[in-house]
Every structure is written in C-alpha cells, then in structure tokens.
Amino acid sequence: MEFVIKGGKPLHGETAIAGAKNAALGLLAASIMADEDVFVRNIPDVSDVNTLLEAIADTGARVKRISRHEVLMNGSSIRSFIVNNRYIRRMRAGYYMLGALLGKYHYAEVALPGGCTIGSRPIDQHLKGFEALGAKTSIRNSMVLVEASELHGSNIYFDTVTVGATINVMMAAVFAKGRTVLENAAREPHVVDVANFLNSMGARIKGAGTDVIRIDGVQKLHGTDYSVIPDQIEAGTFMAAAAATRGNVLVKNVIPKHLECISQKLREIGCEVQEYDDSVRVIAENRPLRSAKIKTLPYPGFPTDMQPQIAVVLATARGTSTVNETIFENRFKYVDELNRMGTNISVEGNIAIITGVPELKGAQLVAPDLRAGAALVIAALAADGESVVEEINYILRGYEDFVEKLQLLGGSIGLAESEEEARKFFLKAGIV
Ligand code: EPZ
C-alpha cells in the first residue's frame, strides 16, 4: 500500500484536528489505575492507539470502544500484568503500562520498546524513577520487569528532559506513600493532559507544565469522563503543508497556545498566521518564503516532531536555513529522499543545512518514520509532478484520515494497493 500524489496545487480550505496521540497513549494506560468506569473522549483513531487498547484488553481490563473517538475503560477486571505482543513491540508507548501497572499492582512485565529509526530511545530514566520509588527493575528476554513490595515518595531529578519518563514515573507515583517530586520534568501539553486526567480521577498532582511536578500519594482513584486535548503535531503538520504548498488553510480544533512556537516560526519564514479561539489560519499564497534557523527543544521550544515538516517548508524558501536537531540522534533520514526531489540539503552531525531551491520535482519516496513520512507527503504535494510514498504504515500510526483530510483541502492524493491502481490514479489526476 502506498500514497500516490500529484503535486503542484496549493492547499485551500479547512481541516479539523483529532485528539493528541501522545496524550491519548499515556492517558489510556493511566485509565486502568481506577477500578471504576473511565470514559475517554476525543481519542484519535490511529494504529498506535488501537494497538495499545488491544494490549490493555489483553490484561483483562474492560475496553469498550463506543465510537471511533470514544472508549469506556475499567481496570477492575485486570488479571494479567504482562504486556507483550508483536504489535506492542513495534511501538514505543507500550512502556506506559509499566508505570500504570507498577503504580497500581506493584508488578509489571512489558515488552522492551522497539528502537525507532530516529534514535536509540533508551528507557534508563524511566527505570531510574521506578527504582527511586522503591521498585526493582530488570530486563530479561526483551521484557522489562518492574516489581515492588511497596512504593514510597521520592525526589527524582531526570538527567535529561524526557516526556515518556515524566509521564511514566508520574503514574507510578500516584499511589506511592508520601510525596514524590519530579525535577527537570518535561512540560509538553500531553504531560499536562495526563496529569489533569489523573487528577480528574482523584490523584493529587501539582506543577504539570512546569519542570517540577509534585505527586502526593492517594489510596485509590475513581472513574471520570475526560476528553483528550487536540494534537499539537497534527495541527503543525497541516500548518506546514499550507506553507509548503503556498496555500491558505484554516486548522480547526486546536489550542493556539500549544502552537505558538510553530506559528512564530512560520511568521518569521514569511507566512501570515491568524489565531482564533480554537483555530489558526496559515496564509502563504503568493508569498516568497525566506530562510530561518530552527533548533528543536523540549516544549515550549520548537518540537522535534515538527522538524522534518519545517525542513520541507524551508527547502523552497529563499536563502540558506539551518535545522539543529538537539533531541534525537538520527532524525534526518528523510534528507536523502528530499534530495531526490531536487532539494539542496546537507547534514553535518545533528545540523541540516538547507539552501532553498525554486521548486521540487515528484519522485518515488520511502517514509523512514512517522513524522518524516508526513513531511515527504507535504513535499510531494508541493512538488511539480507525480510522487509515490511507500512504507505509509508509519504515517497511519499517527495521522487519522490523513488522505481524506488532504483531499478535502484540494490535495491530489490517493491510496494505491498496486502499480495498476497507481497508474489509474495518475491517469485520472493528469486529466483533471
Ligand atoms: C515522546 O517520545 C513522543 N512519543 C515522541 O513523539 C517525541 O518525539 C518525544 O516524546 C519528544 O517530544 C510519545 O509520546 C509516544 P523522550 P519519548 O523520552 O517519550 C532521551 C511521535 O512522532 N531519553 O522525551 O520516547 C531520548 O533518547 C513520537 O509521535 C533518555 O536518554 O521521548 C531522547 O534523546 C516520535 N533516557 C530524549 O531523551 C530515557 O529514559 C527525549 O526523549 C528516556 C529518554
């Protein structure tokens, strides 16, 4: 299966953003910490979320999908603390079940998360936090084992700002005796969403969104009815698509504050970005875009998950730009693909140097990971000519209805299961 794209048309219209994948993954794991019904709304219908829900159901927890975007959870029927299947091994966020099961049952065995192509993705900070709370941790046969006779509050200073470890240790500390303080904590919107979710269930978490989070242990959690925040990165991806195709797109169902760094950078590059209560409009039609310097940083800095997408915008901006990736060690795998479209990008260590070119040419492309895959789709939509993007399962992990949303914005994009279908698509697209 592959995406087939005929580029060269600016995107116009409006699109609605789904719930945040990276908030939903932590939040759904946390939902099993109560023994009552937990109703979660606005979850994105993407494969990472669906895989995690299957893994949670395998523990014996009740998982009732009410609709594409709503699920009823209940952790009272859990009978297994082992989370391991070939799907969960391919995604990263299965590790959130460590914090949730350890916190509630003092035991968990979870498949070691697969390393992603963007970096080694260690979990040493997760384990450091669990051990500080009183747990024993070990890794055997590609499984992570954590167990504790009891969990007690502790002061934990993360050696590096880590979203996953912040969320995981925050969950593990919910029932720990006494106060836990997490320092050098991640401040991402999805960390705040998981904290708010747990507090709506009766947890006592303060400071989420700052670099110091305090968790005071409680006896138990109760049910809740909670809606996941909009996806900051999906929103940013469509903002970048509007800019790269020189279009005019209204991105709805967003929290503009979460997009501030992206909006500012697009303005610096030459786009007009209008902010409303729950939407932003990106206008780039007939605007000569100019170069910029990008440095990825933990929130509220420029998100690493937007790095490939902004690189595509800069690829046809006037002048020379630099993109400095400070979070992951291998997040430029898409550059070779872009250079086959006529971009002029060189990578030295963790810095990409981008010299803007007047236009891109369509090409046969292979998505190297989730966000780079989305960036290649944006490049193909902006390019002159036909492109094919393979390995699109990466993209389907994090973007709901990606093809349909781009089609509604005027993008000439389709899904092809075979060469024949691809040929038919291009024939039809060529006639339009
Ligand atoms: C989350 O990954 C996101 N994934 C990633 O999004 C995102 O890129 C990343 O946060 C940074 O924002 C999910 O939320 C499921 P980290 P995570 O722990 O938690 C190092 C996407 O596209 N580190 O914040 O794994 C690590 O190597 C994905 O949706 C340690 O050294 O990221 C990295 O350099 C891609 N030890 C840095 O910290 C640890 O124990 C940030 O990683 C943990 C992390």
Side-chain angles (χ1 to χ4, degrees):
M1 197 157 68
E2 58 200 18
F3 288 155
V4 281
I5 297 161
K6 184 166 185 315
K9 279 166 54 184
L11 297 181
H12 280 95
E14 54 185 59
T15 192
I17 298 304
K21 164 178 86 81
N22 293 345
L25 293 169
L27 204 142
L28 290 169
S31 68
I32 61 106
M33 297 182 82
D35 286 329
E36 297 178 11
D37 281 355
V38 171
F39 195 48
V40 184
R41 304 169 191 271
N42 199 38
I43 60 171
D45 183 9
V46 295
S47 57
D48 266 9
V49 166
N50 299 335
T51 301
L52 181 64
L53 284 173
E54 282 162 24
I56 292 173
D58 287 351
T59 67
R62 188 155 167 258
V63 176
K64 187 168 182 315
R65 195 71 175 252
I66 311 294
S67 73
R68 280 189 85 185
H69 304 128
E70 294 168 328
V71 65
L72 185 66
M73 312 286 287
N74 187 313
S76 61
S77 50
I78 287 177
R79 60 181 183 285
S80 161
F81 309 140
I82 298 171
V83 178
N84 178 23
N85 69 44
R86 60 199 178 102
Y87 302 109
I88 207 82
R89 286 196 288 275
R90 280 198 223 127
M91 59 178 275
R92 184 145 176 85
Y95 59 31
Y96 286 140
M97 292 305 285
L98 286 168
L101 292 170
L102 174 68
K104 184 179 182 186
Y105 299 106
H106 292 177
Y107 188 85
E109 283 184 49
V110 176
L112 196 61
C116 192
T117 58
I118 60 176
S120 61
R121 315 296 293 274
I123 59 167
D124 58 301
Q125 299 299 303
H126 300 241
L127 303 182
K128 167 182 168 176
F130 295 150
E131 286 162 8
L133 296 173
K136 286 195 187 62
T137 72
S138 62
I139 294 179
R140 270 203 309 270
N141 311 323
S142 300
M143 296 291 286
V144 184
L145 281 74
V146 290
E147 62 182 319
S149 48
E150 67 149 26
L151 293 172
H152 52 73
S154 173
N155 278 13
I156 298 158
Y157 189 94
F158 290 117
D159 301 340
T160 181
V161 176
T162 150
V163 168
T166 300
I167 290 175
N168 228 348
V169 179
M170 180 167 71
M171 280 194 276
V174 160
F175 297 126
K177 287 185 177 45
R179 170 169 282 188
T180 296
V181 180
L182 306 183
E183 296 195 65
N184 200 25
R187 299 159 57 187
E188 270 69 4
H190 30 296
V191 172
V192 178
D193 211 26
V194 175
N196 290 342
F197 171 72
L198 284 165
N199 282 341
S200 79
M201 294 163 72
R204 290 176 57 204
I205 301 170
K206 287 194 175 10
T210 75
D211 60 351
V212 180
I213 299 177
R214 288 181 178 75
I215 304 110
D216 288 320
V218 295
Q219 292 299 313
K220 66 191 275 107
L221 296 181
H222 53 71
T224 188
D225 182 333
Y226 193 87
S227 187
V228 179
I229 55 168
D231 194 309
Q232 159 205 39
I233 304 302
E234 186 196 9
T237 301
F238 280 95
M239 292 166 75
T245 60
R246 304 301 189 272
N248 181 333
V249 174
L250 180 68
V251 183
K252 302 190 305 181
N253 292 0
V254 299
I255 298 173
K257 174 149 184 52
H258 291 167
L259 304 172
E260 233 153 53
C261 196
I262 301 166
S263 301
Q264 278 308 97
K265 202 42 87 172
L266 288 174
R267 290 188 183 107
E268 184 187 321
I269 292 170
C271 300
E272 182 183 350
V273 180
Q274 299 166 354
E275 289 182 17
Y276 303 96
D277 286 349
D278 61 356
S279 60
V280 291
R281 179 179 291 277
V282 175
I283 304 170
E285 48 204 346
N286 313 317
R287 298 172 80 97
L289 302 189
R290 49 185 178 269
S291 62
K293 284 185 186 309
I294 305 287
K295 182 175 184 179
T296 64
L297 288 169
Y299 190 80
F302 192 87
T304 175
D305 290 350
M306 276 298 301
Q307 184 258 89
Q309 298 93 312
I310 202 73
V312 169
V313 177
L314 294 168
T316 59
R318 284 190 193 145
T320 298
S321 304
T322 55
V323 175
N324 181 0
E325 172 56 59
T326 71
I327 309 291
F328 290 110
E329 64 269 30
N330 191 17
R331 200 160 202 175
F332 287 122
K333 288 172 76 82
Y334 63 90
V335 167
D336 292 344
E337 299 295 303
L338 283 184
N339 283 339
R340 294 171 53 232
M341 301 180 81
T343 60
N344 180 352
I345 306 175
S346 60
V347 176
E348 287 163 29
N350 258 3
I351 295 182
I353 297 130
I354 304 174
T355 304
V357 294
E359 69 168 9
L360 309 184
K361 292 284 180 214
Q364 293 275 353
L365 305 164
V366 180
D369 62 68
L370 164 57
R371 304 301 176 186
L376 292 179
V377 170
I378 294 174
L381 288 165
D384 176 32
E386 299 170 356
S387 298
V388 170
V389 179
E390 297 171 19
E391 300 298 329
I392 60 168
N393 282 333
Y394 279 118
I395 303 171
L396 302 177
R397 285 180 50 190
Y399 291 93
E400 179 184 299
D401 298 341
F402 198 44
V403 170
E404 294 79 1
K405 289 183 175 181
L406 289 168
Q407 286 170 342
L408 284 173
L409 291 172
S412 180
I413 177 172
L415 205 53
E417 306 265 353
S418 66
E419 295 274 322
E420 179 55 21
E421 282 188 17
R423 206 175 55 76
K424 280 185 188 152
F425 171 85
F426 288 125
L427 262 179
K428 198 164 154 245
I431 293 161
V432 171

